[in-house]
Amino acid sequence: MKFYCAPKSISVATGLLLEEAGLDYEPVLLDFSKGEQTSSDYLAINPKGRVPALITDQGILTETGAIAEYIAHQAPGMDLAPNEAWDAAQMRAICYYLASTFHVNHAHRRRGYRWVSEEDSLKDMSANVPRTMAESCRY
């Protein structure tokens, strides 16, 4: 497998899980400061221009939660994901919350330009990050 990642990004979660599972993989580091995530070569792998991306024998996976479940299934003896339907649903609920709320709250600090373009709006979004992250962490 090839694992596309970038330092100081959410892809570290996938890297930790790959290591924990003991799976063979080749890490491919992207340098965001050079815009490698938006290169035509990488966009052919992940048109979203984000990490992580995992190339498997079956195809390409993106999105941390989906990759995490795939890795868990590749190492069934490691008990990396619940087998019971209710417990698995609870795990997914946490993954979805992290992806749709927690990570977005954090992104407002440095990547607010994804949502707004006015400088005052960017400053306001950034100023609210400590509050929104604290609320997310309390949950």
Side-chain angles (χ1 to χ4, degrees), residues 74 78 82 85 134:
Q74 298 308 302
M78 297 295 295

Side-chain angles (χ1 to χ4, degrees), residues 35-112:
E36 290 178 354
Q37 75 277 20
T38 58
S39 70
S40 59
D41 287 344
Y42 186 65
L43 290 175
I45 294 165
N46 185 355
K48 299 172 211 166
R50 302 208 177 144
V51 292
L54 187 68
I55 298 180
T56 74
D57 290 340
Q58 293 85 22
I60 299 170
L61 286 172
T62 63
E63 302 301 328
T64 301
I67 294 171
E69 283 196 57
Y70 176 80
I71 292 169
H73 283 283
Q74 298 308 302
M78 297 295 295
D79 292 326
L80 298 173
N83 292 320
E84 297 299 319
W86 176 255
D87 295 336
Q90 291 298 314
M91 177 197 70
R92 284 186 196 93
I94 292 168
C95 286
Y96 297 162
Y97 179 77
L98 291 172
S100 65
T101 301
F102 195 93
H103 199 227
V104 173
N105 286 344
H106 177 17
H108 285 169
R109 181 170 159 244
R110 291 192 179 167
R111 293 181 295 278

